[in-house]
Amino acid sequence: MELCELTANELHRMLTGKDVRAEEICLSVFRRIDKTEDQVKAYLALHPEEALEQARAVDRKIAKGEEISPLAGIPIALKDNLCTKGHRTTCASKILYNFVPPYNATVVDKLNGQDVVIIGKTNMDEFAMGSSTENSAYQQTCNPWNPDCVPGGSSGGSAAAVAAGEAICALGSDTGGSIRQPAAFCGVVGMKPTYGTVSRYGLVAFASSLDQIGPLSKDVTDCALMLNAICGHDPMDSTSVPTELPDYREALVTDIDGFRIGIPAEYFAAGLDDHVRRVIEEAITVLEQRGARVEETTLPHTEYALPTYYIIAPAEASSNLARYDGVRYGYRVEDAKDVLDMFSRSRSRGFGAEVKRRVMLGTYALSAGYYDAYYLEALKVRTLIRRDFERAFEKYDCLISPTTPSTAFRFGEKVDDPVTMYLSDVFTLAVNLAGLPGVSIPAGFVDGMPVGLQFIGKPFSESTLLRAAYTFEQSTTHHLKRPSLTPEVE
Amino acid sequence: MNKYEPVIGLEVHVELQTASKIFCHSSTTFGGDPNHHVCPVCLGLPGTLPVLNRKVVEAAIMIGLALNCSVARFCKFDRKHYFYPDLPKNYQISQYDLPIADNGYLEVQDEDGNPVRVGITRVHMEEDAGKLVHQGTDATTPYSLVDYNRTGVPLLEIVSEPDMRSPREARAYLDKLKTIIQYTGVSDCRMEEGSLRCDANISVRLRGSQTLGTKTEIKNMNSFRALQKAVQFEINRQIECLETGRRIVQETRAWDEIEGVTLATRSKEEAHDYRYFPEPDLVPIVISPSWIEEITRQLPELPDARCRRFIDEYRIPAYDAGVLTGSRELGDYYEECVKIYPQAKTVSNWVMGELLRLLNDTNSEIGESRVTPRQLAEMLTLIDKGTISGKLAKEVFGEMFRTGKDAEMVVKEKGLEQISDEVSINAVIEQVIASHPGPVADYRAGKDRALGFLVGQIMKDTRGKANPGLVNELLKNRLR
């Protein structure tokens, strides 16, 4: 096995044991990128020189006998909606084709503080709007398990990079499932933490009340290491929560004896692929064998999650994306007649179809005369959805469900039918509306394509989720499988 | 004109003098090179987030209290959307349905000098926008530049009820509002620098009618005088409309200072839909009773209360008290002076007379006065001691105002000390009697007027320094 196929935890042990140098790990990842990136197309930008420099700095620390952090020297990919000082941050949009932030996102500063090695910026659906990464203005990212299939989205580039060994871990963002759904499609672990756990400063906003940054990794252990690095209060983000956070590594125990797990019936209803259902049922059996008490429960307002989400998220997006007008940065038409013409044509040409669709939806929902009927109603339903979960968590330590109704679909299969595309996030949206933590982990395969198992917890119960996920993972081998998309096999 | 009654409400924007902007650390300093007091947050760059400046909330609470408002226990920010190049996010963070304070009032005097209350509908916090800079002409420079220094400077918007009934009342309201705000110290309220801005909502109706007429909103009034003139013009225009059977259109109009007219800029049909919704990047503000108490304790004595105290404590006329409490600094100056020199009315006369006249002549403010209250008090003591005459004191004060020197030094340097010794004065008297036998004879013949002439001659010969009372007494004795 090559270095790039190992986990951060394994590589850390090798680094501290002086079995390997950070530079070798970095080179291994870039060799893999050289081999597979033409097919995967996970990255919008690579930063090889800086990455190697960061790796060598870690090697110097180790040589001097200094203690290194658990993620020091670990190659990590960043979704291209995370601001990186001096490096283009495009959100896979034409409108930000030339935007170079003069600041780092707080998570990027935090990772730098851990001496990680940042490989580059990954592809995504434009402004994180989409479920297949097909909405990128730049390129199509393939699913490493089958190049005819989408990697999921919107953090498709990050998920594909981790699955293909083009990064050890990655950061994504999740507004309605954008970490968990691609993690499920690409057979990796992806967590959306509780709203407010990770600073959003420097994450280019899609829907502010739903967005949350989270990690993608090969296993649950790396997920915990990444969470330790990125969580915590940030005075630059008023919505970040000033609470004491645990060391998530302590959650990595294989013990869920007596755990009460609920299965929301609504998440196993029509629309769920039978093969996926069977994989999840097997997973439930595994959890029961490890001592969990699993029973069916109900989240009665589930059917309203999707329409509620598609009012609130576009409403906030229409506001957040108003700033892209060509005045200060980004794409601007050359031959504007006047300032209004400049605004409208820069935006018409700079944004892709899905972004424009959502900006229009959101503008409509917030307009005078419609606000009460749409936005205000959606806020009320959002409260009902949150209460569903609160009631469930009075009885259960966590809930489980399939992450997605099906495995990764083929390119073009849904991109022309927005509603069908939106339905691929039907099991993940409600978690964002309720601000809860959710993690997707590999649960098995259907026709060689990964299936994700989602754990949902109450606010700030990441440790509980990690413990359940870790116990399941250690009882199975799905997370050890790697896609065969490598030239050696071809 | 008397057939109609004007109805006026004002919307005032006040820039708060916090060190940093409302949602970031950038400086609020006025002026500076364009786009130098900016940062990623106030430029609204992608991924940045606002963080509320606590000082802004404190200032807003203070103004709310000073304007007799109820201060909200819970309020929030909302986004107000419109596309304009001086607004980096193309939305303004403002407050919509839950302002920080509402339902207050302030007191002004109406046309007849009677006190009337003007209701304050609401006070809310928001961020200021930048400024477009136009250079050259459309032909030479077919573009505008944007300066974002002002973007994110904290503003309070203070909306009055439509309680004013004349241009003078509107001006009195703005004057009072400015004075109150200056007393609290949260803003300098300089209309010419834009730290105080005012829009007026105006309608007219038949006197006695209870329903409101169609209103227009007047913008672009850049001074107190402009406000009064623009409101007057608009009232006349609306009355003329009604008198000639035309319809008043609800619209926004701009005051043209040069032409002295208001001109339509935007009709109601073109009005923006601001698509307000709660700002998701900020958490709601919870204001505890103890926080309000703390700020209440910090609230200084306000102009109305101070005016009443001046009348009671210093026994000065209401007019004097009103002028002296017209600004916090002037009131402070007066009180400091009275502390040293307790003849309150004398101090009032000097402050309102010579001091304000000289400040006005030099277009400066009380804070810039080179004469300190202590120096004024010392000068007044010199008059009492007879060291200088009341008449010469004005000359002495003028010199003090120019140079900042103490009264005694000015008196010494200029040799203005009053002559009060009898020997010197008698010597002058002898000379004057010798050279003016005619008037002397007249006086002795019973023409009292001649005495005035002789005193005048003596004062002239002593260059005004002779003690006038003493001159009179000695001269009369000599001629008896």
Side-chain angles (χ1 to χ4, degrees):
Chain A
M1 214 180 245
E2 292 184 45
L3 292 171
C4 65
E5 292 178 50
L6 301 177
T7 66
N9 190 45
E10 290 162 341
L11 291 167
H12 177 70
R13 245 184 266 141
M14 291 168 74
L15 280 170
T16 49
K18 300 196 177 177
D19 300 324
V20 70
R21 284 180 299 115
E23 187 180 357
E24 293 173 72
I25 299 171
C26 186
L27 287 170
S28 168
V29 166
F30 276 105
R31 266 199 308 277
R32 171 62 62 92
I33 288 170
D34 279 345
K35 283 179 193 162
T36 58
E37 179 62 0
D38 280 351
Q39 274 178 284
V40 179
K41 292 197 169 64
Y43 286 96
L44 290 175
L46 291 163
H47 312 149
E49 288 85 11
E50 268 180 70
L52 276 171
E53 216 159 279
Q54 287 168 322
R56 289 183 195 123
V58 172
D59 286 333
R60 283 194 294 274
K61 274 196 178 179
I62 295 170
K64 276 194 267 177
E66 286 177 36
E67 207 171 309
I68 59 164
S69 82
L71 290 177
I74 303 300
I76 284 171
L78 302 173
K79 189 175 179 177
D80 205 29
N81 58 356
L82 295 167
C83 286
T84 42
K85 187 174 180 172
H87 288 293
R88 274 199 312 164
T89 300
T90 70
C91 293
S93 179
K94 186 176 170 185
I95 212 157
L96 284 177
Y97 77 105
N98 63 355
F99 178 62
V100 179
Y103 46 90
N104 276 329
T106 297
V107 287
V108 175
D109 278 339
K110 280 182 168 256
L111 288 178
N112 283 334
Q114 301 277 313
D115 296 322
V116 308
V117 173
I118 290 171
I119 299 292
K121 307 294 289 287
T122 58
N123 196 22
M124 56 188 281
D125 286 298
E126 184 180 3
F127 284 104
M129 296 177 190
S131 310
S132 66
T133 311
E134 287 167 289
N135 294 333
S136 166
Y138 299 108
Q139 66 196 33
Q140 194 168 287
T141 299
C142 292
N143 191 312
W145 295 88
N146 179 350
D148 295 331
C149 288
V150 302
S154 66
S155 310
S158 286
V162 172
E166 295 186 6
I168 304 304
C169 299
L171 286 184
S173 68
D174 190 317
T175 307
S178 280
I179 290 173
R180 291 159 290 155
Q181 187 255 24
F185 279 9
C186 292
V188 298
V189 174
M191 178 178 270
K192 180 205 99 75
T194 308
Y195 186 78
T197 303
V198 182
S199 168
R200 292 185 296 114
Y201 189 83
L203 165 67
V204 180
F206 159 15
S208 312
S209 77
L210 302 162
D211 294 342
Q212 192 66 188
I213 297 166
L216 294 110
S217 58
K218 294 189 184 103
D219 67 9
V220 175
T221 303
D222 279 10
C223 182
L225 296 178
M226 287 288 281
L227 280 184
N228 273 351
I230 62 170
C231 291
H233 176 63
D234 178 9
M236 299 285 275
D237 176 1
S238 311
T239 64
S240 92
V241 180
T243 53
E244 205 50 34
L245 294 168
D247 181 345
Y248 293 107
R249 286 177 299 189
E250 287 167 13
L252 302 175
V253 289
T254 51
D255 175 18
I256 53 167
D257 198 28
F259 249 56
R260 297 156 307 163
I261 298 177
I263 301 173
E266 294 81 2
Y267 286 59
F268 289 81
L272 176 60
D273 178 279
D274 277 340
H275 302 286
V276 172
R277 179 196 301 268
R278 244 167 272 139
V279 168
I280 298 302
E281 280 166 359
E282 280 168 37
I284 291 168
T285 311
V286 170
L287 290 166
E288 284 177 326
Q289 283 164 354
R290 301 303 304 242
R293 293 190 316 226
V294 184
E295 62 182 52
E296 197 176 287
T297 183
T298 177
L299 298 168
H301 295 94
T302 296
E303 62 172 308
Y304 304 113
L306 191 101
T308 301
Y309 178 88
Y310 277 99
I311 297 290
I312 292 172
E316 294 183 12
S318 72
S319 173
N320 285 328
L321 271 60
R323 72 192 66 195
Y324 308 114
D325 57 13
V327 173
R328 293 156 298 273
Y329 50 82
Y331 175 76
R332 179 200 293 176
V333 289
E334 291 288 328
D335 50 348
K337 288 198 300 285
D338 54 36
V339 71
L340 271 183
D341 185 52
M342 181 179 97
F343 284 166
S344 70
R345 283 202 295 133
S346 297
R347 288 167 67 78
S348 297
R349 292 192 199 167
F351 289 137
E354 181 61 25
V355 171
K356 280 187 271 194
R357 180 179 295 122
R358 297 203 197 186
V359 167
M360 284 187 278
L361 272 175
T363 303
Y364 184 81
L366 292 177
S367 294
Y370 300 98
Y371 180 89
D372 289 2
Y374 293 101
Y375 186 76
L376 214 56
E377 281 304 299
L379 287 189
K380 290 177 195 165
V381 180
R382 184 177 187 175
T383 303
L384 295 176
I385 289 167
R386 187 180 291 131
R387 285 197 193 137
D388 277 359
F389 281 107
E390 282 166 9
R391 260 190 295 274
F393 290 125
E394 285 168 13
K395 276 178 80 176
Y396 304 106
D397 296 301
C398 66
L399 303 175
I400 56 170
S401 78
T403 309
T404 57
S406 69
T407 55
F409 44 87
R410 290 176 178 271
F411 285 104
E413 200 178 315
K414 300 185 179 187
V415 77
D416 295 325
D417 183 352
V419 176
T420 315
M421 183 71 89
Y422 297 168
L423 280 167
S424 67
D425 290 331
V426 70
F427 298 152
T428 47
L429 296 168
V431 169
N432 298 74
L433 289 170
L436 306 172
V439 61
S440 175
I441 64 168
F445 294 84
V446 170
D447 297 333
M449 294 305 285
V451 172
L453 171 67
Q454 176 175 234
F455 293 80
I456 303 167
K458 60 181 157 197
F460 308 107
S461 71
E462 280 80 356
S463 290
T464 308
L465 298 190
L466 288 171
R467 184 167 153 192
Y470 183 73
T471 305
F472 176 83
E473 179 188 86
Q474 295 303 306
S475 316
T476 57
T477 55
H478 313 302
H479 66 290
L480 300 175
K481 296 217 175 78
R482 300 282 182 263
S484 55
L485 186 89
T486 53
E488 288 91 354
V489 183
E490 269 171 20
Chain B
M1 172 84 194
N2 243 349
K3 191 171 144 195
Y4 295 98
E5 177 182 57
V7 176
I8 305 156
L10 296 185
E11 276 179 33
V12 174
H13 284 90
V14 176
E15 271 185 6
L16 298 178
Q17 278 183 304
T18 49
S20 55
K21 293 184 178 181
I22 182 167
F23 298 123
C24 66
H25 296 301
S26 296
S27 163
T28 56
T29 310
F30 179 75
D33 287 342
N35 298 310
H36 273 61
H37 301 313
V38 294
C39 75
V41 176
C42 57
L43 287 177
L45 293 187
T48 60
L49 298 170
V51 176
L52 179 59
N53 182 346
R54 189 185 165 92
K55 294 266 187 256
V56 173
V57 183
E58 287 171 350
I61 294 173
M62 185 169 275
I63 293 301
L65 294 171
L67 297 176
N68 307 296
C69 292
S70 52
V71 174
R73 297 287 300 276
F74 178 93
C75 71
K76 66 177 171 70
F77 282 98
D78 300 274
R79 293 184 182 177
K80 175 182 181 178
H81 299 86
Y82 60 93
F83 277 87
Y84 205 67
D86 69 2
L87 194 62
K89 302 184 292 292
N90 285 314
Y91 61 79
Q92 179 192 29
I93 305 179
S94 181
Q95 295 193 284
Y96 182 51
D97 54 343
L98 295 174
I100 188 158
D102 64 2
N103 202 18
Y105 66 86
L106 60 73
E107 219 166 67
V108 297
Q109 290 183 343
D110 68 6
E111 300 277 306
D112 306 320
N114 299 315
V116 282
R117 274 187 182 184
V118 177
I120 308 282
T121 315
R122 56 184 280 158
V123 177
H124 77 244
M125 304 174 278
E126 61 186 26
E127 56 179 346
D128 208 346
K131 264 182 194 163
L132 292 192
V133 181
H134 305 280
Q135 296 177 329
T137 64
D138 279 1
T140 60
T141 328
Y143 53 81
S144 304
L145 300 171
V146 204
D147 177 5
Y148 292 108
N149 280 350
R150 204 178 67 180
T151 305
V153 168
L155 289 181
L156 289 187
E157 180 173 321
I158 301 164
V159 183
S160 86
E161 290 289 301
D163 285 350
M164 288 155 275
R165 295 290 175 267
S166 72
R168 262 182 56 189
E169 238 172 79
R171 183 176 177 159
Y173 166 83
L174 192 62
D175 253 322
K176 188 53 144 318
L177 188 63
K178 175 183 168 170
T179 307
I180 291 172
I181 294 169
Q182 284 179 334
Y183 263 70
T184 63
V186 302
S187 172
D188 56 7
C189 293
R190 290 175 197 268
M191 235 173 157
E192 61 283 10
E193 283 183 10
S195 62
L196 177 74
R197 283 167 252 162
C198 178
D199 302 333
N201 285 304
I202 300 168
S203 63
V204 294
R205 61 183 174 194
L206 285 173
R207 209 164 282 281
S209 164
Q210 288 307 303
T211 52
L212 291 168
T214 303
K215 68 172 179 186
T216 57
E217 185 181 6
I218 313 301
K219 291 182 177 290
N220 199 37
M221 298 166 294
N222 296 321
S223 66
F224 283 76
R225 216 170 53 91
L227 167 73
Q228 200 171 338
K229 277 164 63 185
V231 171
Q232 187 64 64
F233 175 89
E234 183 60 16
I235 291 166
N236 294 344
R237 189 191 68 85
Q238 291 191 11
I239 290 173
E240 200 189 313
C241 262
L242 296 176
E243 285 287 290
T244 53
R246 278 173 295 150
R247 195 172 63 96
I248 292 166
V249 184
Q250 185 174 337
E251 62 192 356
T252 304
R253 301 178 67 87
W255 170 245
D256 183 327
E257 180 75 37
I258 294 159
E259 299 295 324
V261 295
T262 64
L263 298 165
T265 55
R266 195 168 69 208
S267 79
K268 191 195 178 189
E269 286 69 36
E270 301 164 72
H272 286 119
D273 176 0
Y274 291 122
R275 303 193 314 279
Y276 282 102
F277 83 107
E279 166 58 274
D281 287 331
L282 290 167
V283 290
I285 307 152
V286 178
I287 300 166
S288 66
S290 64
W291 195 9
I292 295 176
E293 273 169 38
E294 190 188 315
I295 293 168
T296 308
R297 278 197 297 275
Q298 293 165 16
L299 199 65
E301 184 183 33
L302 294 172
D304 284 350
R306 195 181 209 186
C307 182
R308 281 192 297 275
R309 181 169 62 78
F310 276 21
I311 296 169
D312 292 348
E313 193 175 325
Y314 302 124
R315 305 278 164 197
I316 54 174
Y319 175 79
D320 291 31
V323 172
L324 293 172
T325 55
S327 88
R328 185 173 174 172
E329 289 76 14
L330 189 63
D332 289 348
Y333 189 100
Y334 174 75
E335 290 209 89
E336 256 182 75
C337 195
V338 170
K339 234 184 265 169
I340 309 168
Y341 184 83
Q343 293 184 46
K345 179 57 185 160
T346 308
V347 175
S348 167
N349 290 345
W350 275 89
V351 171
M352 286 172 43
E354 282 308 290
L355 180 58
L356 284 188
R357 186 181 64 76
L358 289 167
L359 288 173
N360 209 27
D361 288 352
T362 52
N363 205 12
S364 46
E365 292 181 36
I366 184 70
E368 300 165 82
S369 168
R370 301 185 69 175
V371 182
T372 64
R374 181 188 55 78
Q375 287 175 313
L376 172 57
E378 284 168 2
M379 190 204 74
L380 296 175
T381 311
L382 289 186
I383 300 176
D384 289 352
K385 282 200 287 194
T387 310
I388 49 173
S389 66
K391 199 174 161 215
L392 275 181
K394 286 189 183 174
E395 193 183 330
V396 172
F397 188 76
E399 186 64 15
M400 290 166 70
F401 188 85
R402 273 187 296 280
T403 60
K405 288 177 183 165
D406 285 352
E408 269 184 67
M409 183 174 285
V410 172
V411 167
K412 244 181 225 143
E413 280 179 6
K414 301 217 137 194
L416 295 175
E417 210 153 345
Q418 185 162 271
I419 303 167
S420 294
D421 79 288
E422 299 186 9
V423 178
S424 310
I425 293 177
N426 278 331
V428 181
I429 288 175
E430 290 309 325
Q431 276 173 28
V432 169
I433 287 174
S435 45
H436 296 286
V440 170
D442 287 350
Y443 177 73
R444 285 183 168 141
K447 288 184 183 166
D448 283 354
R449 261 197 343 200
L451 188 73
F453 172 80
L454 292 170
V455 170
Q457 287 305 310
I458 293 161
M459 293 309 285
K460 196 175 149 197
D461 286 1
T462 57
R463 285 186 295 130
K465 291 188 292 183
N467 184 330
L470 201 55
V471 169
N472 250 303
E473 193 190 319
L474 294 174
L475 185 60
K476 276 184 191 165
N477 284 340
R478 173 70 180 72
L479 296 178
R480 189 171 289 154

